[in-house]
Amino acid sequence: MPDPVQSVTAIPPCMATMDVMPDGDRMTVTVWGELDLGSRRLLPDLHDILTLSGSGIDLRLDAIGFCDCSGLNVLLDLRLRALDEGKTVTVRSSGRAVERLLDLTGTRELFAAPGPHQDGVRPAADGEHGPGAADDRELRAEVTQLRRAMQTRPTIDLARGILMASFGLSPERAWSVLVRTSQNTNTKLHHLARDLVGTVHGGTLPEPVQQQLAAAVASTVPRSGAAEAGD
């Protein structure tokens, strides 16, 4: 059986392209194609673009047809680099694939454009004074969210690798199985991934989850099954 970890960590060719347009002190980056494991190859260029910008990068992701946790990892890594440089990365627009992933992982707010405070100043809590304290609270909350997202991403990627190895699925089909099972069982994606990884060490999935997982896997392979029957 192939090693699931190796299946996830091998970097395939990049299936995305991008265009850069300066916009004041920021850079607008429009990306087309698919954001998957291969999109890590975009990071060196994105880091250079970030460095050249005055305050950060605005992403236009409307033309992304597929995005999985590996693609989200690229955005999170870019976000971390921006924090180190005192800059920001925002998702100005996105298609269904990216929207769904941001919602499932709870990372949408990490890439939201900062809005102006009401009347220009956010009210300070007891013991805090002025907009500096408000900015500090926002930054702490953002870092907490970012750390939470980065803690769950290896488990999700490993769960996808397990599905790939167990059922011979492509990365895209394995991701589809995870998302569909998560939605049909009303289970958070990282909780489902954690339970699935646990089965490798003797754990079991609840019966309803097993049924939905089996149905999701079956729905992804009708063509291959038909092809094998015809051979």
Side-chain angles (χ1 to χ4, degrees), residues 163 167 169 173 177 180-181 212-222:
L163 291 175
F167 301 103
L169 302 176
R173 291 185 183 275
V177 167
R180 185 173 303 179
T181 304
Q212 291 296 335
L213 183 66
V217 170
S219 70
T220 66
V221 294

Side-chain angles (χ1 to χ4, degrees), residues 22 30 37 42 46 54 69 83-84 86 97 121 123 133 145 151 156 162-163 171 196 201:
T30 303
L37 191 58
L42 296 176
L46 287 170
C69 284
L83 285 175
D84 288 342
V121 178
Q145 289 177 305
Q151 287 170 354
I156 294 174
I162 290 172
L163 291 175
L196 184 58
H201 305 288

Side-chain angles (χ1 to χ4, degrees), residues 81-153:
R81 174 65 71 94
L83 285 175
D84 288 342
E85 297 184 12
K87 300 176 182 179
T88 59
V89 174
T90 69
V91 175
R92 289 291 181 175
S93 59
S94 56
R96 182 177 179 182
V98 176
E99 291 283 312
R100 181 175 61 180
L101 183 59
L102 294 177
D103 287 338
L104 284 171
T105 56
T107 54
R108 179 184 296 277
E109 293 183 5
L110 294 177
F111 301 99
H117 299 316
Q118 187 174 2
D119 297 330
V121 178
R122 178 176 173 174
D126 293 340
E128 296 178 330
H129 304 281
D135 291 341
D136 182 65
R137 291 198 305 273
E138 290 177 350
L139 180 59
R140 289 177 183 274
E142 182 173 332
V143 171
T144 298
Q145 289 177 305
L146 183 59
R147 286 175 176 171
R148 185 181 298 118
M150 295 191 71
Q151 287 170 354
T152 61
R153 70 184 191 182

Side-chain angles (χ1 to χ4, degrees), residues 35-49:
L35 289 179
D36 54 15
L37 191 58
S39 59
R40 292 200 65 84
R41 298 179 183 273
L42 296 176
L43 273 175
D45 289 338
L46 287 170
H47 289 165
D48 289 343
I49 295 167

Side-chain angles (χ1 to χ4, degrees), residues 188-220:
K188 288 186 179 295
L189 189 64
H190 67 274
H191 288 167
L192 173 63
R194 177 199 61 198
D195 294 343
L196 184 58
V197 172
T199 63
V200 175
H201 305 288
T204 58
L205 295 173
E207 185 64 27
V209 176
Q210 291 185 38
Q211 293 174 354
Q212 291 296 335
L213 183 66
V217 170
S219 70
T220 66

Side-chain angles (χ1 to χ4, degrees), residues 225-231:
E228 291 174 1
D231 287 341

